[in-house]
Amino acid sequence: MKLYTFFRSSASYRVRIALNLKGLDYEQVPIHLRRGGGDQLQPVYTRINPQALVPALEDDGRFLTQSLAIIEYLDERYPNPPLLPAPAPDRALVRSMALVIACEVHPIQNLRVLKYLKDEFKHSDDDVNHWAQHWIDLGLAALQEMVMAAPIRGRFCFGDTPSLADICLVPQLANARRFGCDLALYPKLLEIEANCSTLPAFAAAAPEKQPDAE
Ligand SMILES: N[C@@H](CCC(=O)N[C@@H](CS)C(=O)NCC(=O)O)C(=O)O
């Protein structure tokens, strides 16, 4: 398997965690998102992902894109350990936690969105940081409430097993730090992050551990 990835990309980070949790070997193909205007925009990569976003996973000659689709593919193809709980309502809850991050927060603080705010609308770096912090805070506050209200509570977002929700949370917290969010507001999420960081699958997926880290 080949993962087209960038060390600092939180969507790539999600897939790295999932691959590690499944114990799968994979080769990394670095796609630098800034150098030379961005490798993701080069035709050699947009033929793989027409959205010009990382990650992409190559498996058995097929290219898959969208981190959550890739992770669910891995979960279906390599079911152990499962990344979603078995009961349907619990699966729906864990997916909804993951989607708070993947649908509502991350897309509107992504590199190209922030670049558009700066280039097209002439917003300052401070404005753009403020924008990112606002949407990250809204999502993390909601996620913390969802975790606290979940019918099963434990070391992770849902019980004592890492799931898709934790896979989305940990990279988003790294992102939030880059934007200077006040994470002290989210003690439960920080506790979960600390528990995740004790697992080799999460630790090895961290941005600073990647071969393309700067
Ligand atoms: N929904 C997509 C998001 C992918 C995405 O936004 N990737 C970012 C890095 S985290 C990217 O490639 N950004 C490049 C850009 O904004 O030009 C997924 O989950 O895979």
Side-chain angles (χ1 to χ4, degrees):
M1 264 185 270
K2 273 190 195 167
L3 180 66
Y4 295 77
T5 172
F6 182 54
F7 73 103
R8 214 187 284 121
S9 148
S10 60
S12 303
Y13 189 176
R14 294 174 198 153
V15 176
R16 295 195 300 261
I17 298 169
L19 285 161
N20 293 345
L21 282 169
K22 297 286 181 186
L24 296 168
D25 274 338
Y26 64 100
E27 180 189 331
Q28 294 202 14
V29 182
I31 302 294
H32 201 292
L33 297 186
R34 289 184 182 272
R35 201 169 43 213
D39 293 344
Q40 75 278 24
L41 299 170
Q42 298 302 318
V44 66
Y45 185 68
T46 55
R47 276 196 288 276
I48 292 171
N49 185 358
Q51 278 198 294
L53 298 170
V54 289
L57 184 78
E58 186 180 346
D59 191 21
D60 277 345
R62 296 279 296 265
F63 290 96
L64 306 173
T65 62
Q66 286 290 344
S67 61
L68 265 54
I70 295 171
I71 293 167
E72 292 227 14
Y73 162 80
L74 293 172
D75 209 28
E76 286 162 13
R77 181 120 199 232
Y78 308 96
N80 286 311
L83 301 179
L84 288 166
D90 295 346
R91 291 167 87 79
L93 176 57
V94 168
R95 283 194 177 108
S96 71
M97 290 175 179
L99 294 174
V100 167
I101 304 293
C103 287
E104 317 299 341
V105 175
H106 175 263
I108 48 176
Q109 45 98 129
N110 192 9
L111 176 64
R112 64 182 182 176
V113 171
L114 302 187
K115 193 168 176 313
Y116 198 71
L117 288 174
K118 280 190 214 173
D119 295 351
E120 289 293 314
F121 296 105
K122 308 299 171 204
H123 284 290
S124 65
D125 286 344
D126 281 352
D127 282 352
V128 165
N129 261 1
H130 191 132
W131 162 282
Q133 282 172 4
H134 173 76
W135 298 113
I136 293 171
D137 272 329
L138 220 59
L140 292 181
L143 180 58
Q144 179 163 262
E145 279 193 37
M146 290 166 78
V147 169
M148 308 283 272
I152 300 180
R153 291 179 53 189
R155 291 166 47 74
F156 299 105
C157 285
F158 188 82
D160 285 322
T161 309
S163 70
L164 187 63
D166 305 286
I167 288 174
C168 288
L169 169 65
V170 168
Q172 186 60 54
L173 289 175
N175 224 331
R177 283 193 186 90
R178 287 214 329 272
F179 287 108
C181 294
D182 179 8
L183 294 184
L185 298 168
Y186 314 112
K188 182 64 190 169
L189 301 184
L190 292 179
E191 184 191 313
I192 293 168
E193 183 191 39
N195 291 332
C196 288
S197 71
T198 64
L199 302 179
F202 280 81
E208 64 277 9
K209 297 275 178 57
Q210 304 317 302
D212 59 333
E214 286 160 1

